[in-house]
Amino acid sequence: MKILIADDTEDSLELLKVILESEGHQVTVAKDGFEALELAKASTPELVISDLLMPKMDGFLFLQNFREDPQFEKIPFIVYTATYTDCQDEDLVLELGADRFLLKPMEPSLLIEAVNRVVERSEANLHKPAEDTYGKLASDYSRRLASKLEKKISELAVARAAKDNFLGIMCHELRTPLNGVLGLSELLLKEQHSEETRQFLEMINNSGKQLLNVFSDIIDVARMNQSKLKIQHKNFSLSAGLKNLEDLFAPSAAQKGLEFSFWVDPRLSWVQGDPIRLSQVLSNLLSNAVKFTSSGKVESKVSLVEETSTQYRVNFEVIDTGQGISPQFLLATFEPFGMVDDSSTRELGGSGLGLSIVKNLVELMGGTIEVDSELGQGSRFHFELTLEKGSSEPLTLSSPG
């Protein structure tokens, strides 16, 4: 049997896949409702199993969209969740057309039994004649169901907004004492100490900086989710700004023995845009490129694609010869915590939010970022922006703090 599983948790996906494949089923997996719908349209499943809480499109919306497609209306659908706190969730998914509601964690035998029962019931229903007698009642029921779903979606939106607001406030509060720790550690580093004490102080300072970057990432994500992050339009020198970024990352690349180069199209100069956010995007890409490249080179190219009397169409590229990204992780590259390798990220540092922030910032600036990568060969991140032409004023692109 062809089974489609939608779940954003890697461990749950792998567990279900192993259990069902051991029973001889053919399993396809998706990380959210959007991806699951696309997979279902490409190859119709015979059974769907979906988590309830997922990014992009949760289990409620996935189930609703799935059932609205006539080709899927009779395909068995099982919903499962680990966050069961409200019996109304179970009632709603069953009313939306789910055949079974299960709770995590599940014993393999219970899962297999549930799958078999749902499939048997579905096959029996296929032989029932269609009934048109209760059209009006069905229509009224659909309206009530839509109202319940709208209310549930509204409640989820309020809960997410409250979560983002809480995260933003807490990170701001934590940054204040952390800045004190960083300031004091930097003052102490200027004094004479034993080698061991200096190493301890450097560890404190470096760890504090990493934690400060994590807080900044969380604040940015919270502001993006609340649509509070706005793009500015200022006059700045693109070429001078990129030179600043070259000065920032060239030393760390040289320390690792990497070849580091910039190339900026000489026809590009002053533009109108957001210098801080553009700097944040390029800094994140360059930081990752240097971080995950152990040998070879890191290069950045900024090319003029098209020019009019008032605008530049500019292509930005960051290319490295690092570890690259395997095909199974490529789609999740720009998702929150969609890191290539958890172990390397823990070793090298990072919040797992950087590329998600990059994607959102590029889109807010009117572009679309893409990545070309081959495992073991390196990666190429690139995006295009349309920038209004500016005038020569003494303002340069600064690196984000």
Side-chain angles (χ1 to χ4, degrees), residues 182 185 199 201-211:
L182 287 172
S185 64
Q199 287 180 356
L201 287 171
E202 288 175 347
M203 289 174 63
I204 292 171
N205 191 261
N206 290 334
S207 297
K209 288 178 179 177
Q210 288 184 14
L211 190 56

Side-chain angles (χ1 to χ4, degrees), residues 43-102:
S43 179
T44 304
E46 297 172 272
L47 170 66
V48 177
I49 302 175
S50 175
D51 189 17
L52 199 56
L53 300 180
M54 297 182 290
K56 289 189 175 181
M57 179 186 285
D58 60 26
F60 295 109
L61 286 175
F62 172 36
L63 174 56
Q64 182 192 34
N65 281 273
F66 188 81
R67 284 293 184 233
E68 286 177 351
D69 193 322
Q71 65 176 318
F72 300 143
E73 61 183 0
K74 293 186 178 180
I75 292 176
F77 200 111
I78 295 175
V79 172
Y80 71 116
T81 182
T83 56
Y84 182 68
T85 58
D86 189 348
C87 64
Q88 292 181 358
D89 289 349
E90 180 176 0
D91 294 339
L92 181 55
V93 297
L94 293 176
E95 289 177 348
L96 284 170
D99 297 274
R100 189 74 183 268
F101 184 88
L102 300 175

